[in-house]
Structure formats: structure tokens, C-alpha cells
Amino acid sequence: MIRFGPAGNSDSFYAQGYAATKQQPAWLHQRGLNALEYSFGRGVRMTEKTALEIRTEAEKYDVQLSVHAPYYINMATDDAEKMDNSIRYLVQSGMAARMMGAKRVVFHPGVTAPDGRAASVQRIEGLLRRAIDELDAMGLMEDILFCPETMGKISQIGDLEETLGFCQLDKRLIPCLDFGHLHARSLGAFGSVREDYQRALDLLEQALGRARAQKVHIHFSRIEYTKAGEKRHWTYSDTQFGPEFWPLAQELAARHYEPVVICESKGTMAEDAKTYQLLYERAVKEMQL
């Protein structure tokens, strides 16, 4: 089953008088959405009581949860304390995901260090192996997938090839393909035509095989960029910004993929996730004609 949902709570969720994330699964279900990504971007702080309340509601309404690990994870660092902290943040995210019943943990790999991109990638790979060992020892990779994300700033580690390379370290790593980020780091050269997505998904299948590719995690939103890459996220109605979802919808339908598609629009993430869902359903219908 392909799933669609927001990253966090839309402005309309609060405008309608809701306040707690535990209320969101029912709210999303009413709109025909069935995924939700909870952000621990500024630190993993959640009580077991809250986690179980969210889990109960998500299971009741068939909303699949994912979580985003702290933004300040940097596995490219050569600082021993920061390396240990990055692993700790990933473990904390995994523990919270397990309490919530979340199936995926998305994380940022790191930022290019002064000694260069190749050395930074090598350190990320080494630290990821250490992290996998710790996560395994705690049983956190038994039913949770960990998802390194493609990144939007050119200085960040996480172009498509680098991200796929990280996922080759262990079959329980699958990529979070953030197509807004790929659009931004290409300075607008990605995401306007179906061939762009065909090339990206072909690389995905070549690197990880079709079975893993079909379950890929996806982030999507229109995005503004500068010469350095990502600047800020926008909404589906901000059509002066790319990328375009329709050609991706066509390609997902043609390949019979079953990803989780998370919308990261600015303030309208649930509404735009619904738009993406409808575009995907239209692509399926057109393919069947």
C-alpha cells in the first residue's frame, strides 16, 4: 500500500482547535490520509505515556508513523564526542520510535568537514557501522528501518549516489529520497519531467534491488534555493517553485511502488499530501485506460 501524510501538523489542524499530536491520526483519517512523520528535530523528548497515546490512536486509524531524528546529527565529524553524540541521538530516536510504534527513522548523514567530501563520506560510513552495531544490540533494527536522507544544501553530505551508498551498508537501511532537496541541490535542474524521476529510481533499483526500492521513503515539497542549495520549503500552490509531483506520481504508479510519501510543505502539509494522493490516484487510473 502506498501511504501519504504530513510531516507534523498543518496550520489548519491548530486553527480547528486541535493541539496534541495524539489527536492527529483521527484528523488525518477523516481526510483519507494514512501516514504521519513526527519530528524530534530539536531533540528526543517524549514521555512513554505520550508515545503510547500516539501509538494507540495511530494503530486505531491505520496511520503509519515515522520519526525524524535530531537535525544536529553529524556523522561526518572527526570530533570523538560529537561522533558519540550522533550515535546516541540515533539510538534515542530508535527507542522513541519503538515506543510509538513508528516503522521508520529518518536522519541527516552530516556536513562536509574541512578535510573534504571523500573523507567525510568515509567517516559517515564508519560511524554508521558503529551505529548499526549499537542499534542491533538493543533490538532496534528488528522492525524499524533507518533512512538516511538526501540533503538540500550542496555543503551537506547526501546527494543521491552518496545516500544510496550508505544504504548498501545494511539491508535495513533504506533511503529517504527528498525530491525537494534533490531539486535544490541541482539548482533547479531536477524534477520538472518524468525522465528525472526515472533516472533517480533506476539508480535506486540498481543500488538496492527492486524489492527494497519499492518501499522507499519519500519527502516532497516545493522548495526555494540559492547557489548554495536549499533555502526554504513552500506549498503546492507556490507554483513558481519546483519540483513537480505529477511526473513522480506517474512513475510511482508505473513501477507499482509502495512508498511512504511525506509532505513537508510550509503550513499546508496535510492539504498538499492529499493533493499528492489524488494526483497519484489519477496516474493509476490513466495507466489503466
Side-chain angles (χ1 to χ4, degrees), residues 103-248:
K103 302 300 183 184
R104 300 177 177 202
V105 175
V106 178
F107 65 95
H108 297 171
V111 180
T112 306
D115 58 352
R117 197 169 193 97
S120 299
V121 169
Q122 189 173 20
R123 273 194 298 276
I124 291 173
E125 290 175 346
L127 202 59
L128 259 179
R129 290 188 178 96
R130 279 182 53 193
I132 289 167
D133 288 342
E134 292 201 26
L135 292 165
D136 255 341
M138 301 181 70
L140 291 172
M141 298 190 77
E142 292 176 0
D143 56 359
I144 300 173
L145 297 170
F146 286 77
C147 310
E149 182 176 355
T150 55
M151 300 306 299
K153 288 187 170 63
I154 295 170
S155 63
Q156 294 171 314
I157 303 297
D159 64 20
L160 179 58
E161 290 79 4
E162 289 164 345
T163 303
L164 294 178
F166 299 145
C167 291
Q168 289 176 310
L169 297 175
D170 192 285
K171 65 181 180 180
R172 295 161 298 182
L173 299 175
I174 66 166
C176 171
L177 298 187
D178 189 314
F179 288 108
H181 286 168
L182 293 177
H183 177 76
R185 73 179 301 128
S186 72
L187 305 183
F190 177 92
S192 61
V193 295
R194 187 169 169 178
E195 287 73 17
D196 293 338
Y197 296 103
Q198 288 174 339
R199 286 191 294 270
L201 298 180
D202 284 347
L203 285 174
L204 171 65
E205 292 186 17
Q206 290 164 16
L208 305 183
R210 181 166 173 80
R212 285 170 71 192
Q214 283 182 305
K215 304 297 183 181
V216 66
H217 199 79
I218 291 174
H219 284 177
F220 204 97
S221 70
R222 296 191 185 276
I223 200 163
E224 181 180 358
Y225 60 87
T226 68
K227 64 181 180 180
E230 175 188 6
K231 182 177 180 181
R232 66 171 63 90
H233 291 256
W234 290 95
T235 73
Y236 182 77
S237 62
D238 293 307
T239 55
Q240 68 271 40
F241 303 110
E244 299 299 330
F245 188 78
W246 171 241
L248 174 59

